[in-house]
Amino acid sequence: MMHAARLDVVGKEDRKAAVAAYKERKSVAGVFAVRCGAAGAVWVGGAPDLDKIQNRLWFQLKMGGCPHRSLQAAWNAHGPESLAFEIVERLEDEDLAFARTAALKARVAHWIAAMGAEAI
């Protein structure tokens, strides 16, 4: 019986360590693109955390509540398998939040123009 209690404590410690590591990780800001081969369309956007943006977008699309109507229309018409997510550019770590925000906006504008994409 004592052995099971020890395993429980170890499991809690591992879980606490994993949660702490997740909270301490640095988020990477950058520019991403969503391509729809079937529609021949590209959408470009920026995110303060590239690791989370695809899950957020796909969830919105699955629920039918994506605020980007043309992207939602492509999802509805062609299905999720027709969309491809890609990271276009990762931004260098900026110490000041406003500098990162300004840099992200500038890079998104650049990639929208370069790719002939729609902003999201």
Side-chain angles (χ1 to χ4, degrees):
M1 192 63 117
M2 190 144 176
H3 182 67
R6 186 173 181 277
L7 287 176
D8 220 15
V9 171
V10 172
K12 280 185 179 179
E13 289 171 5
D14 289 345
R15 193 170 30 246
K16 284 181 182 179
V19 168
Y22 178 79
K23 287 181 179 180
E24 289 177 16
R25 74 174 179 75
K26 284 201 172 210
S27 60
V28 177
V31 181
F32 65 91
V34 178
R35 296 179 185 272
C36 179
V42 180
W43 297 265
V44 170
D49 190 344
L50 287 171
D51 290 337
K52 295 179 181 176
I53 191 65
Q54 182 180 6
N55 285 340
R56 183 174 136 209
L57 268 175
W58 262 235
F59 179 78
Q60 289 175 333
L61 290 163
K62 283 178 194 172
M63 295 294 118
C66 184
H68 313 290
R69 290 177 190 235
S70 60
L71 180 56
Q72 183 71 61
W75 174 281
N76 294 345
H78 306 291
E81 60 281 344
S82 70
L83 297 181
F85 178 88
E86 65 185 71
I87 294 174
V88 177
E89 181 177 359
R90 294 178 187 274
L91 296 183
E92 294 299 317
D93 193 25
E94 294 285 339
D95 291 334
L96 302 174
F98 74 88
R100 182 170 71 167
T101 302
L104 185 56
K105 282 183 181 180
R107 298 310 298 158
V108 167
H110 164 80
W111 285 107
I112 287 171
M115 298 174 106
E118 186 176 331
I120 58 172

